[in-house]
Amino acid sequence: MDQIIVRGNGPLNGEIPIAGAKNACLTLMPATLLTDQPLTLTNAPRLSDIRTMTELLRSLGAEVASLQDGQVLALSSHDLNNHTADYDIVRKMRASILVLGPMLARDGHAVVSLPGGCAIGARPVDLHLKALEAMGAELDLRDGYVHAKAPAGGLKGAVIDFPLVSVGATENALMAATLARGTTVIRNAAREPEIVDLAHCLRRMGAQIEGEGTSTITVEGVRALGGATHPVVTDRIELGTYMLAPAICGGEVECLGGRIDLLAAFCEKLDAAGVSVTETDRGLKVSRKNGKVRAVDVVTEPFPGFPTDLQAQMMALLCTAEGTSVLEEKIFENRFMHAPELTRMGARIEVHGGHATVHGVSRLRGAPVMATDLRASVSLILAGLAAEGETIVSRVYHLDRGYEKVVRKLRGVGAQIERIKETPAHD
Ligand code: UD1
């Protein structure tokens, strides 16, 4: 297993290109299952989660070709010869559940392994299942699998009223509804940019959708969808992560392809903390306003609120801010695993249930730390950039799930960071 070594250094300057969104791509790829025509995705990120989704779709009989060094994915589900998503793949990645709605809508049956728990909480899939049941699906949970069948004649349009906002359940319901008979109304729908991107792609494929980006999405089912070419939206989480690098280290970094509308709540918090964000014709330029960063309180919420996927990275910034910040995590329980690792680097953090109180210290110190999940791992790298001495981050396979070329991108703005093969432990 590899490790990443970060040495604390001075200001970062230059530009960082932002990739297409992992979370958008992971829902756009299963959309291929809705049609026998080709679907081409451009601006795809090169990540291990994308390779896992590729493996899953291929196991179902879809063709997935990775072109132009992985930035273009050519998908075709002309002949699906298997309707079972196996535990061995699904357990690697929860987003695998997104094949359920499309397979059921197109072919009337699907068997998908239930994803297990994961490091950041229980994360059930009950809302995905309830949405499909509302559309007439019969579901049978046996041996760790969901066995799903559509009624004769296919799924039926329905009113789906989600009791809480779920990105994945909205995506599954939206995809299924495109081929259902009649009208589907999704209430309390997620409003994330990745949902809007999915709706745009489905519309290019011939779907009739209104209201994406609001909490009510209306879908008029059509008989069949066709092919399309669609560019994946910018990764707002990768964007926010790299925006924090100059906020933490000083300097000025331009994040190419960045847009404020993808991250308005996050940008407001940066402004309150003393970090300036300006729009340029190529993206967003970020620097500290007057050298100092001030404490701010943060509450994670569904879009357009502050994203849970940037909470760990924001905590890395607040560790050395002036004053005390409180971060409240409202989306996932148990999403403060980075706090004890940051504490090993000299941060002063107290965690009580869903709240973390961060007392700013003047300096962090490098230390050996362990990545516990995707976003936690990058928060340790950000903290390492601001720390005195050397930080060694282990278990970086988490990072490969969601950040392409992280070492190259950070070196490009002057960071001292390298990836090495882990030294085997001695007996
Ligand atoms: C997606 C993102 C993830 C992000 C999260 C919240 C992808 C691939 N992943 O995950 O990076 O952190 O949105 O922005 O897009 N819930 C239920 N029942 C369900 C589904 C969800 O109770 O059936 C709960 C979850 O446990 C969680 C909350 O709803 O507490 C929100 O989860 P959800 O929006 O579904 O997250 P994901 O789609 O899994």
Side-chain angles (χ1 to χ4, degrees), residues 28 32 52 77 83 86 119 232 306 312 328:
L28 292 164
T32 178
T52 304
S77 301
H83 288 77
D86 222 65
V232 179
F306 190 101
E328 185 179 355

Side-chain angles (χ1 to χ4, degrees), residues 23 94 123-128 164 166-168 308-309 331-332:
N23 287 351
R94 277 180 51 81
R123 300 183 83 173
V125 291
D126 55 318
L127 301 175
H128 299 243
L164 57 94
S166 160
V167 175
T308 173
D309 286 351
I331 309 290
F332 295 114

Side-chain angles (χ1 to χ4, degrees), residues 298-414:
V298 170
V299 181
T300 64
E301 281 169 335
F303 193 86
F306 190 101
T308 173
D309 286 351
L310 282 172
Q311 177 259 106
Q313 301 90 312
M314 189 72 180
M315 187 184 283
L317 171 72
L318 297 175
C319 284
T320 50
E322 271 181 11
T324 298
S325 313
V326 177
L327 291 99
E328 185 179 355
E329 174 55 61
K330 292 228 285 203
I331 309 290
F332 295 114
E333 78 252 40
N334 196 19
R335 207 180 190 179
F336 287 129
M337 279 104 58
H338 41 285
E341 299 299 310
L342 290 168
T343 305
R344 292 170 50 73
M345 299 175 70
R348 281 185 57 214
I349 306 168
E350 294 145 22
V351 175
H352 296 288
H355 294 78
T357 307
V358 183
H359 305 281
V361 294
S362 57
R363 201 107 182 92
L364 295 178
R365 291 180 308 275
V369 288
M370 194 114 76
T372 49
D373 70 44
L374 169 56
R375 307 304 171 184
S377 58
V378 83
S379 77
L380 299 174
I381 290 181
L382 288 175
L385 288 173
E388 241 165 52
E390 195 172 84
T391 297
I392 303 170
V393 186
S394 327
R395 300 204 178 161
V396 296
Y397 51 85
H398 289 295
L399 200 69
D400 297 332
R401 293 188 46 204
Y403 289 91
E404 64 166 47
K405 302 184 173 33
V406 65
V407 168
R408 195 192 295 180
K409 288 186 183 185
L410 285 171
R411 280 171 93 109
V413 291

Side-chain angles (χ1 to χ4, degrees), residues 120-140:
I120 59 173
R123 300 183 83 173
V125 291
D126 55 318
L127 301 175
H128 299 243
L129 304 185
K130 287 213 173 83
L132 297 171
E133 262 177 339
M135 299 169 87
E138 272 178 38
L139 305 179
D140 186 11

